Amino acid sequence: MASDRMTNQVEQTLVEKISSLCDSLSSLPSLHPSPQVNALFTELVLACIPPSDIDVSKLDMEAQEMRFKLIDLCSNGEGLLESHYSDILASYDNPLAHLSLFPYYTNYLKLSQLEFELLSQHVHGMPTRVAFIGSGPLPLSLLVLATYHMKTTRFHGYDRDSSATARARKLLKSDADMASRVEFRTADVMSLTHVLSLYDVVFLAALVGIDKEEKERVIAHLNRYMSVGSVLLVRSAHGARGFLYPVVGSDELKGFEMASIYHPQDEVINSVIVAKKLPPVHVHVQGEMAHVQGGLPMRTCKCCEREAIMVNGCKMEELAREELQS
């Protein structure tokens, strides 16, 4: 009983500290990199990094609202920080040779190593094509994986912000090999359809789908179009790190088999989930055959069967390649 009270007190103190930092960040006129902005975000990260058993899904309504507001602030701050350093890197003749200028570069080295090791346990051979959804203006994970771990793989980075895509492209200007294997495209994930079937692995950035409902919609969309057996790598958060990034659980992963989950205990903030796309489950609905797609039963008919034939095999690949080239 005493230990429960102690735990509640510790968690309450943590929530109060994080709430105060949220207020401080909210009061700033801008989240562009500056000594004051950097100091507040550093203090926030240091408050959230220590291992914690706090379950952010069980916070009261006021704390939940603060958390969603803080994740949005972190998203904006992270985007501005990445844009700032992407512009700095683009000023060099060979931007990729200077990635270490980014203050959290070593974290990305560790995270990419972790993700590659987890993928290697569940993907047979080297992936041929990999997609990054939400690659951003400074796609460090993609660049590190392409440079050090997947040296023959083709990468496509997708971001709905055209300015982020333009910045990312500039980083490849002096590296012929990377430019031949890496492409950045402006697109919202919900606009990607058959092209998703071409990828062996799809990475979903932590800040694509900030709230639970949006995350569920994004993952359900990926489930609809990814190939059976392909791998979805999702970045999540655990414990107090859930104040910085959305938490992804099994509820959001309908249609996927969770193959592995890893919660770092060091300065790497994001948890990593590796999930495999499952085949549709066939069920009977009022005497008719239906299949379950992303956890939802979908009734089939002769017209649907003819349509399915038209998007299977080479026809499906033709649709995917047309989308990729558009």
Side-chain angles (χ1 to χ4, degrees), residues 13-253:
T13 301
L14 176 62
V15 170
E16 289 173 358
K17 178 177 179 60
I18 292 173
S19 181
S20 174
L21 288 167
C22 180
D23 290 340
S24 296
L25 286 165
S26 299
S27 68
L28 295 177
S30 167
L31 292 177
H32 281 86
S34 70
Q36 186 178 16
V37 170
N38 297 345
L40 283 171
F41 274 121
T42 297
E43 188 176 357
L44 175 64
V45 169
L46 291 176
C48 295
I49 276 185
S52 169
D53 292 328
I54 190 171
D55 185 346
V56 293
S57 68
K58 296 180 179 178
L59 296 171
D60 61 35
M61 186 61 68
E62 182 180 358
Q64 287 286 7
E65 290 176 357
M66 178 275 293
R67 174 177 169 256
F68 291 136
K69 180 180 181 181
L70 184 57
I71 290 175
D72 190 53
L73 288 168
C74 289
S75 175
N76 291 333
E78 186 173 302
L80 291 169
L81 181 69
E82 289 186 2
S83 294
H84 174 72
Y85 276 93
S86 187
D87 290 342
I88 291 174
L89 291 169
S91 68
Y92 289 90
D93 291 336
N94 186 1
L96 298 184
H98 300 277
L99 293 180
S100 60
L101 291 175
F102 188 69
Y104 303 108
Y105 178 64
T106 55
N107 289 13
Y108 281 91
L109 289 176
K110 292 179 180 179
L111 178 58
S112 299
Q113 177 70 39
L114 168 63
E115 290 175 332
F116 179 69
E117 290 174 355
L118 290 173
L119 280 175
S120 298
Q121 298 172 19
H122 302 286
V123 177
H124 300 296
M126 187 64 66
T128 303
R129 292 188 183 91
V130 171
F132 268 77
I133 309 298
S135 48
L138 183 56
L140 282 170
S141 293
L142 185 158
L143 296 173
V144 169
L145 285 167
T147 301
Y148 298 109
H149 303 295
M150 302 182 187
K151 298 181 180 180
T152 59
T153 301
R154 295 187 66 85
F155 290 83
H156 294 145
Y158 293 94
D159 200 285
R160 64 185 181 183
D161 183 347
S162 60
S163 66
T165 305
R167 282 186 166 95
R169 288 172 181 157
K170 291 179 182 179
L171 301 178
L172 305 178
K173 63 182 180 181
S174 300
D175 193 312
D177 172 65
M178 291 286 277
S180 69
R181 294 190 296 117
V182 177
E183 182 180 352
F184 296 104
R185 298 168 65 88
T186 302
D188 188 286
V189 60
M190 303 303 285
S191 71
L192 303 175
T193 55
H194 303 294
V195 70
L196 293 168
S197 68
L198 294 178
Y199 300 110
D200 304 305
V201 180
V202 174
F203 283 73
L204 182 63
L207 292 170
V208 176
I210 289 181
D211 61 46
K212 180 180 176 67
E213 290 74 21
E214 186 181 0
K215 188 76 76 173
E216 286 181 346
R217 284 195 297 271
V218 169
I219 293 177
H221 180 79
L222 294 174
N223 175 262
R224 181 177 182 183
Y225 290 104
M226 286 174 62
S227 296
V228 172
S230 59
V231 169
L232 175 65
L233 192 146
V234 183
R235 289 179 179 171
S236 179
H238 181 69
R241 300 169 188 221
F243 285 102
L244 306 175
Y245 292 102
V247 176
V248 180
S250 56
D251 289 347
E252 291 90 350
L253 290 168

